[in-house]
Amino acid sequence: MKVDEMPGATAPLGKFDPLNLATLGSESTLAWFRAAELKHSRVAMLATTGYLVQAAGIHFPGMLSSDVSFESLSTMKPLDAWDAVPEGGKNQIYFTIFLAEFITECKGTHYTKGGPLPTIVFPPIDFSNVNPEQLKTRQSRELNNGRLAMIAIMSFVAAANIPGSVPALAGNPMF
């Protein structure tokens, strides 16, 4: 499949590949690039949502550990809150990410060998009854939202670490 025919090549940019990465290697390489973009998009959407929810002070009730409450974390900047999470909690998060990655990489025929691109592990969603044109539109929306989320989370991290680097976020107490 050509990059122009893949989901994500939408207006106003169409195919956006200024470094011509899509021409490197074979179709397997292109599938690997697309899977990487898709996974990074999904992670960025979760990260952006998490950053905004935490910055808004929304939190679970109760305790994260015996000495750290969710409420105490919600009073900190998001990156400081991550630093305050106990190592055991971070390890559980890393393991969950590893497990999800392992499951998607080991299911059936690998995407670099002609299999389908990675899907959402949990909850499993069945797209088999979706019209192909509608599916391509939805996949394009997911990729475009993910691309925007990648820009957003990079902006949040830059604003939190380099004062004034993102003028729209300057002066916001969570950055």
Side-chain angles (χ1 to χ4, degrees), residues 4 6-16 140-141 143-145 147:
D4 303 73
M6 297 174 83
T10 58
L13 299 176
K15 178 192 92 167
F16 182 74
S140 293
R141 288 177 183 163
L143 281 166
N144 288 334
N145 289 336
R147 291 167 182 161

Side-chain angles (χ1 to χ4, degrees), residues 154-156 158-160 162-173 175:
M154 287 186 287
S155 299
F156 295 169
I162 306 167
S165 62
V166 183
L169 300 176
N172 186 312
F175 295 100

Side-chain angles (χ1 to χ4, degrees), residues 10-28:
T10 58
L13 299 176
K15 178 192 92 167
F16 182 74
D17 186 17
L19 300 177
N20 289 320
L21 295 176
T23 60
L24 297 176
S26 63
E27 283 195 21
S28 293

Side-chain angles (χ1 to χ4, degrees), residues 1 3 26 29 45 79 81 97 99 105 113 122 129 132 145 147 167 171 174:
M1 177 177 275
V3 72
S26 63
T29 307
M45 286 187 277
L79 297 177
I97 293 168
L99 188 62
E105 290 295 317
K113 306 289 186 225
F122 183 81
N129 294 329
N145 289 336
R147 291 167 182 161
M174 281 300 162

Side-chain angles (χ1 to χ4, degrees), residues 60-80:
F60 291 111
M63 301 292 288
L64 175 66
S65 68
S66 60
D67 56 344
V68 178
S69 70
F70 286 110
E71 185 174 6
S72 69
L73 294 176
S74 72
T75 62
M76 301 176 190
K77 292 181 178 183
L79 297 177
D80 295 334

Side-chain angles (χ1 to χ4, degrees), residues 104-155:
T104 60
E105 290 295 317
C106 295
K107 280 191 337 190
T109 304
H110 198 263
Y111 50 85
T112 60
K113 306 289 186 225
L117 286 172
T119 56
I120 298 170
V121 176
F122 183 81
I125 300 172
D126 181 14
F127 291 108
S128 61
N129 294 329
V130 177
N131 170 330
E133 195 58 37
Q134 188 179 28
L135 180 61
K136 184 175 180 182
T137 299
R138 289 180 179 178
Q139 289 172 329
S140 293
R141 288 177 183 163
E142 178 186 24
L143 281 166
N144 288 334
N145 289 336
R147 291 167 182 161
L148 180 60
M150 285 189 264
I151 293 169
I153 196 64
M154 287 186 287
S155 299

